[in-house]
Amino acid sequence: MPATAIAAKPAAAAPKPLLDIATPTPPDIVIAQSIKPKHISQIAEAKLGLQPEEYEMHGPTKAKVRLSVLDRLKGTPSGKYVVVAGISPTPLGEGKSTTTVGLCQSLGAYLDRPVLTCIRQPSQGPTFGIKGGAAGGGYSQVIPMEEMNLHLTGDIHAITAANNLLAAAIDARMFHEAAQTDEALFRRLCPADKHGKRAFAPVMLRRLEKLGIAKTDPSELTPTEVSAFARLDLDPQSITWRRVMDVNDRFLRGITVGQGSEERGQERSTGFDIAVASEIMAVLALASDLSDMRERLGRMVVGNDKRGNPVTADDLGVGGALTVLMKDAIMPTLLQTLEGTPVLVHAGPFANIAHGNSSIVADQIGLKLVGKDGYVVTEAGFGSDIGMEKFMNIKCRASGLRPDAAVIVATVRALKMHGGGAPVVAGTPLPHEYLTEDVELVTKGCCNLARHVKNAVAYGVPVVVAINAFASDTEAELAAVKAAALEAGAFDAVVTRHHSLGGAGAVDLSRAVVAACERPSKFKFLYDLDLSIKEKIEAIARSYGAEGVSYSPEAEAQIAKYTRMGFDGLPICMAKTQYSFSHDAKLKGAPSGFVLPIRDVRASVGAGFIYPLVGSMMTMPGLPTRPGYYDIDIDPKSGRVMGLS
Amino acid sequence: MPATAIAAKPAAAAPKPLLDIATPTPPDIVIAQSIKPKHISQIAEAKLGLQPEEYEMHGPTKAKVRLSVLDRLKGTPSGKYVVVAGISPTPLGEGKSTTTVGLCQSLGAYLDRPVLTCIRQPSQGPTFGIKGGAAGGGYSQVIPMEEMNLHLTGDIHAITAANNLLAAAIDARMFHEAAQTDEALFRRLCPADKHGKRAFAPVMLRRLEKLGIAKTDPSELTPTEVSAFARLDLDPQSITWRRVMDVNDRFLRGITVGQGSEERGQERSTGFDIAVASEIMAVLALASDLSDMRERLGRMVVGNDKRGNPVTADDLGVGGALTVLMKDAIMPTLLQTLEGTPVLVHAGPFANIAHGNSSIVADQIGLKLVGKDGYVVTEAGFGSDIGMEKFMNIKCRASGLRPDAAVIVATVRALKMHGGGAPVVAGTPLPHEYLTEDVELVTKGCCNLARHVKNAVAYGVPVVVAINAFASDTEAELAAVKAAALEAGAFDAVVTRHHSLGGAGAVDLSRAVVAACERPSKFKFLYDLDLSIKEKIEAIARSYGAEGVSYSPEAEAQIAKYTRMGFDGLPICMAKTQYSFSHDAKLKGAPSGFVLPIRDVRASVGAGFIYPLVGSMMTMPGLPTRPGYYDIDIDPKSGRVMGLS
């Protein structure tokens, strides 16, 4: 989000802001805490028409929306579905979340359209680390920002608990299998009750079915069947399931577990990821209802047995328990913007090793709640090559929903960097070219925007470019961006000033979006699912501008393994840097002619995608020398949080 | 809780149960799910007189109570304060939580007294492991038991997040100190803003004050002061702060961290405890308000520097952030019993390495809400030697509150084991002596009860013994227990049948408690704070029946260190097995003449106690071959949780 934006003069047509606007724009937390949020029941009932039994209050400013609302609204026509993505991000920030929020404030508070913003829940780790919050910025924010950036309604904590229960189940099972015969394992797994009767737990019937054992009485299993059932025989080397924590803890990236006095001899190298990198987060985002989530959680693959067969959460008997831990997390959380428009915050999967989009259920609920005259604006992580590509090919494929328009957010500054502007270092003054007019530089950088626009247009969806204006931008620079966007095929390109003006500053943008949504769209996927894993990878690589794809021996082996296991029909989720269309973060602009190297290939079978690793992905951030937490404290009198940004 | 209790005939005087009682008593989850909880706002407003702005709904069955209620009720007289503990626990279960709940159901629903139950939040780990829930049992339960046993309102998740942020801060700080000069550290800790001005964050002023540096402008520090301020110089060997997780994960008991490619060379052995073992849980339980919690969190000691000075959370700059993470957790959670009486669930510190009692703020709020004619019944962990001793000497010392009566829960079965009954093995039939009359055996075992009674009486508080009846108990056995209790100095001893009858079965008990609370009490502590650490340890050891205390060299060194650091004025929290008055879990009954060995001594400076380790304490449970999670699932249609126990 723009850190130094200064209120620009609104365009002649811009309405008077409803918010009390200060200049220069105060810090985010000051603005956020200056507005008293409406009671969330008002947002739920007056703005969204929710019935009292369709949502649960979590304090006065948060509510969880029950999925039962979808049953009531089954026959209602859906609203328009708008996805927001960015250009390839730079350290300067493009203000994608801020634009998403500002667009909705404008649609709701100025154009009087029913509107709902769907955004991801941010990880709590970075809140205390190096990056600020994820609730937007300036006069386009989700409030209360403290709630948004901290525990919210506990969904990420539930994911942590579920992820780590599964991890504990894996190690405990290997521990017990190492110490017991097949018969002893079976006796303990199916113990006799006081009448001497033994029974399978329902979850065990899933494993029996997978093994092709059509028996329901434990006493009827043959010794071979007992072995097959009771011994999972996990290959420790094959285990891909890691533990997670919602804290930036770099010392957990690589660890050895099992060094307690009772576990010695079973040490194992593993590590922690940040909680939002858990496959369970991706499952939450892609599940269509409770039952679908139960099935996805149960079929998550944690590794394979020594003969190469995948071992799942349900093989470990824990799929039901994971679902119980996630039963409240499946309800999206309702918040509001500074201008009182409704926001559903739900799920926040990583945008590289996962698909980087908020949940399907939130979008589904939103589309029904806003109705045929309304708008759901949903944010995708990073650029069209990352979050939007996965939105189209993974999320929309899973949900059956189709976008009516796409918005791509760009800034003059970021495009200057794509055009060859100097690197930016935090804590040092911005290089000269970012603060003074340089039309040539910005025009050169528009190659990045143009490719994002073309990629988005290829899905058959009208594209609006939102040019998020900074005070230092000149009219000539803004005009250059607009021209480049239109030339690349955008339906429209609009300068927007929601950071300094709130929804009033985004009225031109929201009018353009409304117009785009009236256009007929002919949605098509980038690739068909029945292509081979490699063909799918190559289709995506071409959209990056790659000339070809290379595979490491590990990648080749994994592709062969997943194909053999029958997972080759899944869509592809590329784990690639967001900073470049290529695999090299330093290649700004619109690189082409490169060969995309696939280092390894993994699968999130429960979430439902294969993820090739293009280079190495950081899945656990660290803390800097002076983390953000130095500034964070509470005023014990008022309970007010200080120092969040 | 009694697993096989069968509804016994109520005593002649027992009222008709208000609940629809089935015989034999159905499983806990069946009973719990058969009662539709009242909307929690009804409990909050009609039962407790809370005003709408004094509580926050968390769904329809849970609410968090704001501490602001204490301001409103400052002048209101308090109710009676009753603490419940047990005899030395056995694998047979004594039903302490069940008795606490049953007593309150009786006081509220049958004696029409204003009543509030204060209990601990259970760890989620055991819910999926080997032990069932902690919401009581039979017809004396807290509902919804799924909420009670799962996330509740997220307090334990907040503790996990805060504990692990501090852990990450420790390792990250050592990592950055290893790579940077004092000047570079200082430059990063107090960076110049765009005008070239540098400033200390408010939390840094705390460290400066501790160092005796009376300056507020970073540019005025001398090089020596810069070093002292910027380099914490933590001794890695001295770090006692471990990470936590609310999962039974035995493979995390002993781990090596820092094996990622970027952290190599800074590997360190450490481990995880279960979340409720975090010092932050003990802080939550002992804090009197938000401001007190802030100070306690900031002064938690994580280790010492290489010169032997303690290093605190505030030295790391993270005390404020920890408080922000805990700002909602400080509000107790309101639930209800099966008979609609109010329950505050709040905090659940370990009863050995911590003090094993629910929170001070919940008790304080409760005493004001019930008013002078009402009763707050609060549960202490384990026996009089563990939870109740710490209730009296740690919790009451911190809160200033004094109990009006103490209840000690005993069962015939458990006393038989203390009398020498055979060991009990899960999954095998109960030995004969537990199922048939054996007055001699139970009388012999009453030595355990008698010592618990005498210890409790020593605090100057009237003691009521609750004899939690099982169907297999005979009148002669129950009479023997009653006689022993009265002989040991109990004010009364009463047979109670709340498991099979709900509050109706505990009316005799509640009448006895009401009568006990009318007695004048002359409260006194077991020891004075100004005694030395060893004198305090020895006073507690005498109450165990020990003849003397021995100290390992490590314990001697730690006592010397903490005395030197000025922590010797803190109360003592003995980390001892709960299964025996002695250090040897196998010594049932009332052992005496033993020498209590102190293996090591640790300090929870933020919580405010020294904890000597008597033997080794398990602080991270494991999962058995067939964990409870095999039975746990959700009905996707109704959303009903199945298989919790």
Side-chain angles (χ1 to χ4, degrees):
Chain A
M1 61 206 80
T4 59
I6 290 171
K9 240 199 178 81
K16 193 174 154 359
L18 302 169
L19 296 169
D20 194 10
I21 301 286
T23 310
T25 308
D28 291 349
I29 195 168
V30 172
I31 296 176
Q33 292 183 344
S34 73
I35 307 266
K36 188 176 152 57
K38 293 186 173 68
H39 198 277
I40 200 67
S41 62
Q42 252 184 285
I43 304 288
E45 302 194 15
K47 297 268 176 180
L48 289 177
L50 282 166
Q51 298 180 352
E53 70 280 7
E54 289 172 345
Y55 66 97
E56 293 183 355
M57 303 285 308
H58 283 250
T61 59
K62 300 177 286 187
K64 272 189 167 296
V65 179
R66 296 211 177 114
L67 272 52
S68 61
V69 66
L70 286 173
D71 299 331
R72 175 170 65 89
L73 297 177
K74 200 169 274 171
T76 307
S78 294
K80 301 292 185 185
Y81 193 31
V82 179
V83 60
V84 179
I87 58 169
S88 302
T90 71
L92 292 162
E94 291 70 47
K96 191 158 52 71
S97 301
T98 304
T99 302
T100 303
V101 175
L103 169 59
C104 291
Q105 289 183 193
S106 174
L107 283 165
Y110 298 86
L111 301 200
D112 267 336
R113 306 285 176 137
V115 68
L116 196 136
T117 315
C118 288
I119 52 173
R120 291 169 292 166
Q121 182 185 357
S123 167
Q124 200 169 259
T127 303
F128 297 97
I130 201 162
K131 177 185 153 291
Y139 288 98
S140 294
Q141 290 190 61
V142 179
I143 53 172
M145 70 96 92
E146 302 91 322
E147 301 292 339
M148 172 89 185
N149 287 315
L150 295 172
H151 309 288
L152 198 62
T153 51
D155 297 352
I156 293 180
H157 295 322
I159 287 165
T160 304
N163 183 98
N164 294 344
L165 177 60
L166 179 51
I170 293 166
D171 278 313
R173 184 60 171 252
M174 291 197 294
F175 176 81
H176 291 300
E177 287 193 13
Q180 295 174 44
T181 63
D182 295 352
E183 294 67 34
L185 282 170
F186 188 56
R187 203 166 52 234
R188 288 195 173 85
L189 287 169
C190 301
D193 66 12
K194 41 187 167 182
H195 312 294
K197 249 191 82 73
R198 304 170 67 178
F200 290 116
V203 70
M204 293 176 178
L205 301 177
R206 294 173 180 245
R207 176 158 174 82
L208 289 169
E209 190 187 336
K210 172 177 162 179
L211 295 170
I213 302 172
K215 298 177 180 173
T216 54
D217 180 348
S219 66
E220 290 179 2
L221 262 60
T222 66
T224 312
E225 288 170 340
V226 163
S227 293
F229 170 78
R231 187 167 295 279
L232 300 184
D233 209 24
L234 265 162
D235 175 2
Q237 298 300 323
S238 76
I239 294 171
T240 48
W241 197 261
R242 288 159 60 91
R243 291 171 177 82
V244 301
M245 191 180 273
D246 196 23
V247 175
N248 288 9
D249 191 348
R250 58 186 303 152
F251 275 70
L252 294 180
R253 288 172 184 166
I255 68 171
T256 301
V257 298
Q259 298 180 316
S261 53
E262 294 178 58
E263 292 79 34
R264 267 189 229 288
Q266 298 200 47
E267 295 186 6
R268 195 167 71 79
S269 285
T270 179
F272 278 70
D273 296 328
I274 189 127
V276 293
S278 171
E279 181 176 347
I280 297 179
M281 176 59 98
V283 166
L284 176 66
L286 287 168
S288 53
D289 57 30
L290 188 60
S291 170
D292 182 44
M293 183 169 73
R294 167 67 187 88
E295 297 308 314
R296 287 174 184 267
L297 291 172
R299 66 176 180 251
M300 293 188 303
V301 172
V302 301
N304 52 253
D305 66 21
K306 287 175 188 149
R307 282 162 306 152
N309 303 306
V311 175
T312 66
D314 271 342
D315 287 326
L316 286 154
V318 73
L322 301 184
T323 312
V324 167
L325 282 167
M326 294 290 295
K327 76 182 172 59
D328 296 331
I330 202 173
M331 294 185 279
T333 298
L334 182 64
L335 293 176
Q336 61 193 286
T337 65
L338 288 171
E339 301 196 62
T341 65
V343 179
L344 284 182
V345 183
H346 203 211
F350 251 44
N352 39 48
I353 64 160
H355 67 293
N357 280 267
S358 62
S359 82
I360 285 177
V361 296
D363 290 359
Q364 282 174 330
I365 290 172
L367 288 165
K368 292 299 180 184
L369 284 175
V370 299
K372 72 179 190 344
D373 298 324
Y375 296 81
V376 168
V377 181
T378 192
E379 187 188 351
F382 304 133
S384 76
D385 52 332
I386 306 277
M388 187 184 285
E389 185 270 303
K390 296 167 185 177
F391 171 84
M392 302 290 187
N393 293 302
I394 298 176
K395 184 176 176 182
C396 286
R397 188 136 24 198
S399 69
L401 301 172
R402 301 291 177 258
D404 296 288
V407 174
I408 292 180
V409 182
T411 65
V412 166
R413 287 181 176 194
L415 291 172
K416 283 179 174 174
M417 181 170 281
H418 281 295
V424 170
V425 180
T428 63
L430 264 188
H432 178 257
E433 60 262 44
Y434 298 110
L435 297 166
T436 49
E437 183 172 282
D438 190 335
V439 177
E440 192 185 332
L441 189 61
V442 73
T443 304
K444 207 170 149 213
C446 281
C447 61
N448 184 270
L449 172 62
R451 187 179 287 166
H452 285 288
V453 170
K454 283 176 190 156
N455 278 355
V457 166
Y459 293 100
V461 172
V463 175
V464 174
V465 172
I467 310 168
N468 186 16
F470 278 60
S472 55
D473 300 343
T474 68
E475 288 305 320
E477 289 173 329
L478 295 167
V481 177
K482 180 164 178 163
L486 294 174
E487 193 187 320
F491 166 74
D492 204 349
V494 188
V495 175
T496 176
R497 303 184 192 276
H498 47 274
H499 184 274
S500 53
L501 295 172
V507 166
D508 290 346
L509 174 62
S510 55
R511 288 198 179 116
V513 168
V514 167
C517 287
E518 298 309 316
R519 301 263 295 198
S521 81
K522 308 167 278 289
F523 183 84
K524 58 175 185 290
F525 293 116
L526 181 62
Y527 55 82
D528 288 333
L529 285 189
D530 55 11
L531 297 177
S532 71
I533 291 177
K534 284 192 174 181
E535 287 168 328
K536 285 183 272 202
I537 291 174
E538 286 151 21
I540 298 169
R542 276 193 298 274
S543 78
Y544 295 162
E547 193 175 79
V549 180
S550 69
Y551 300 90
S552 73
E554 294 75 22
E556 293 279 6
Q558 289 292 99
I559 291 170
K561 172 168 143 179
Y562 291 137
T563 303
R564 182 171 50 73
M565 288 177 172
F567 301 142
D568 54 327
L570 294 173
I572 301 296
C573 183
M574 296 291 260
K576 179 182 74 73
T577 176
Q578 65 269 31
Y579 295 111
S580 170
F581 276 107
S582 77
H583 53 284
D584 179 357
K586 291 189 292 296
L587 289 182
K588 304 284 173 210
S592 60
F594 55 92
V595 174
L596 194 76
I598 308 294
R599 185 173 61 81
D600 203 347
V601 177
R602 307 238 174 97
S604 285
V605 176
F609 50 74
I610 300 280
Y611 62 102
L613 300 178
V614 186
S616 56
M617 289 297 128
M618 171 58 64
T619 49
M620 173 55 95
L623 292 170
T625 302
R626 188 193 191 284
Y629 60 63
Y630 267 96
D631 298 314
I632 298 174
D633 210 328
I634 198 157
D635 173 16
K637 291 269 178 302
S638 65
R640 197 168 54 86
V641 174
M642 304 179 292
L644 277 185
S645 60
Chain B
M1 59 208 80
T4 60
I6 290 171
K9 240 197 176 80
K16 195 174 154 358
L18 303 169
L19 295 169
D20 194 10
I21 302 286
T23 311
T25 307
D28 291 350
I29 194 168
V30 172
I31 296 176
Q33 293 183 343
S34 72
I35 307 266
K36 188 176 153 55
K38 293 186 173 70
H39 198 276
I40 200 67
S41 62
Q42 252 184 286
I43 304 287
E45 301 194 16
K47 298 266 177 181
L48 289 177
L50 283 166
Q51 297 179 353
E53 70 280 7
E54 288 172 345
Y55 67 98
E56 292 184 355
M57 303 285 308
H58 283 250
T61 60
K62 299 177 288 187
K64 273 190 167 294
V65 179
R66 296 210 177 116
L67 272 53
S68 61
V69 66
L70 286 172
D71 298 331
R72 175 172 62 90
L73 297 177
K74 199 170 274 171
T76 307
S78 294
K80 300 292 184 183
Y81 192 30
V82 179
V83 59
V84 178
I87 57 170
S88 303
T90 70
L92 293 161
E94 292 69 49
K96 191 158 52 70
S97 301
T98 305
T99 302
T100 304
V101 175
L103 168 59
C104 291
Q105 289 182 194
S106 175
L107 283 165
Y110 298 86
L111 301 199
D112 268 334
R113 306 285 177 137
V115 69
L116 195 136
T117 314
C118 288
I119 51 174
R120 291 169 291 166
Q121 181 185 359
S123 165
Q124 201 169 259
T127 303
F128 297 97
I130 201 164
K131 177 187 153 291
Y139 287 98
S140 294
Q141 289 190 60
V142 179
I143 53 174
M145 70 97 90
E146 302 90 324
E147 301 292 339
M148 171 89 186
N149 288 314
L150 296 171
H151 311 287
L152 198 62
T153 51
D155 297 352
I156 293 180
H157 295 322
I159 288 165
T160 304
N163 184 99
N164 294 342
L165 177 60
L166 178 51
I170 294 166
D171 278 313
R173 183 60 170 253
M174 291 196 296
F175 175 82
H176 291 299
E177 288 193 13
Q180 294 175 46
T181 63
D182 295 352
E183 294 67 33
L185 282 172
F186 187 58
R187 202 165 52 235
R188 288 196 173 85
L189 287 169
C190 301
D193 67 11
K194 40 186 169 181
H195 311 293
K197 248 190 83 73
R198 304 171 66 180
F200 291 116
V203 71
M204 293 174 178
L205 301 178
R206 293 172 181 246
R207 177 161 173 81
L208 290 170
E209 190 187 336
K210 173 177 160 178
L211 295 171
I213 303 171
K215 298 178 178 173
T216 54
D217 180 348
S219 66
E220 290 180 2
L221 263 57
T222 67
T224 313
E225 288 170 339
V226 163
S227 292
F229 170 78
R231 188 167 295 279
L232 300 185
D233 208 23
L234 265 162
D235 175 3
Q237 298 300 323
S238 76
I239 294 171
T240 48
W241 197 262
R242 289 159 59 91
R243 291 170 177 83
V244 302
M245 189 181 275
D246 197 22
V247 175
N248 288 9
D249 192 346
R250 58 187 304 153
F251 275 69
L252 293 180
R253 289 172 184 165
I255 68 171
T256 301
V257 299
Q259 299 180 317
S261 55
E262 294 179 59
E263 293 79 33
R264 266 190 231 286
Q266 298 201 45
E267 294 187 6
R268 195 167 71 80
S269 286
T270 179
F272 277 71
D273 296 327
I274 189 126
V276 293
S278 171
E279 181 175 349
I280 297 179
M281 176 59 98
V283 166
L284 176 65
L286 288 168
S288 53
D289 57 30
L290 188 61
S291 169
D292 182 44
M293 183 169 74
R294 167 67 187 89
E295 296 309 313
R296 287 173 184 267
L297 291 172
R299 66 176 180 251
M300 293 188 303
V301 172
V302 302
N304 52 254
D305 66 21
K306 288 174 187 149
R307 281 162 307 152
N309 303 306
V311 175
T312 66
D314 271 341
D315 287 326
L316 285 154
V318 73
L322 301 184
T323 312
V324 167
L325 282 167
M326 293 291 294
K327 76 181 171 60
D328 295 331
I330 202 172
M331 295 185 277
T333 298
L334 181 63
L335 292 177
Q336 62 192 287
T337 65
L338 289 172
E339 302 195 62
T341 66
V343 178
L344 284 182
V345 183
H346 203 211
F350 252 44
N352 38 49
I353 64 160
H355 67 293
N357 280 267
S358 62
S359 82
I360 285 177
V361 294
D363 289 1
Q364 283 173 329
I365 290 173
L367 288 166
K368 293 298 181 186
L369 285 175
V370 299
K372 73 179 191 344
D373 299 324
Y375 295 82
V376 167
V377 181
T378 191
E379 187 189 349
F382 304 135
S384 76
D385 52 332
I386 307 277
M388 188 185 284
E389 185 270 303
K390 296 167 185 176
F391 171 84
M392 302 290 187
N393 293 302
I394 298 176
K395 184 175 175 182
C396 286
R397 194 148 3 209
S399 68
L401 301 172
R402 301 292 177 254
D404 296 288
V407 174
I408 291 180
V409 182
T411 64
V412 166
R413 287 181 177 195
L415 291 171
K416 283 178 174 174
M417 182 169 281
H418 281 295
V424 170
V425 181
T428 64
L430 265 189
H432 178 256
E433 61 261 43
Y434 297 109
L435 298 167
T436 51
E437 182 172 284
D438 190 338
V439 177
E440 193 186 329
L441 189 62
V442 72
T443 303
K444 210 172 145 208
C446 280
C447 62
N448 184 269
L449 172 61
R451 187 178 287 165
H452 285 288
V453 171
K454 283 176 191 157
N455 278 356
V457 166
Y459 293 99
V461 172
V463 175
V464 174
V465 171
I467 310 168
N468 186 16
F470 278 60
S472 56
D473 300 343
T474 69
E475 289 304 320
E477 289 173 330
L478 295 167
V481 177
K482 180 163 177 163
L486 294 174
E487 194 188 315
F491 167 74
D492 203 348
V494 188
V495 175
T496 177
R497 303 183 193 277
H498 47 274
H499 185 275
S500 53
L501 296 173
V507 167
D508 290 348
L509 174 62
S510 55
R511 288 198 178 116
V513 168
V514 168
C517 287
E518 297 308 316
R519 302 262 296 200
S521 79
K522 307 168 280 287
F523 183 84
K524 59 174 183 291
F525 292 117
L526 180 61
Y527 54 82
D528 288 334
L529 285 189
D530 54 12
L531 297 178
S532 70
I533 291 177
K534 283 192 175 183
E535 286 168 328
K536 285 183 272 200
I537 291 174
E538 286 150 23
I540 298 170
R542 277 192 297 277
S543 78
Y544 295 163
E547 194 175 78
V549 179
S550 68
Y551 300 90
S552 72
E554 293 76 23
E556 293 279 6
Q558 289 292 98
I559 290 171
K561 171 169 146 180
Y562 291 137
T563 303
R564 181 173 49 74
M565 288 176 172
F567 301 143
D568 54 328
L570 294 173
I572 301 295
C573 183
M574 296 289 261
K576 179 184 75 72
T577 175
Q578 65 269 32
Y579 295 112
S580 170
F581 276 107
S582 78
H583 54 285
D584 179 355
K586 290 189 293 297
L587 287 183
K588 303 286 173 207
S592 60
F594 57 90
V595 173
L596 193 77
I598 307 294
R599 185 172 62 81
D600 204 346
V601 176
R602 306 238 174 96
S604 285
V605 176
F609 51 74
I610 300 280
Y611 61 103
L613 300 178
V614 186
S616 56
M617 290 297 128
M618 169 58 65
T619 48
M620 174 54 95
L623 292 169
T625 303
R626 187 193 191 285
Y629 59 62
Y630 267 97
D631 297 314
I632 299 174
D633 210 327
I634 199 158
D635 173 17
K637 290 268 177 304
S638 65
R640 197 168 55 87
V641 174
M642 304 179 291
L644 277 185
S645 61

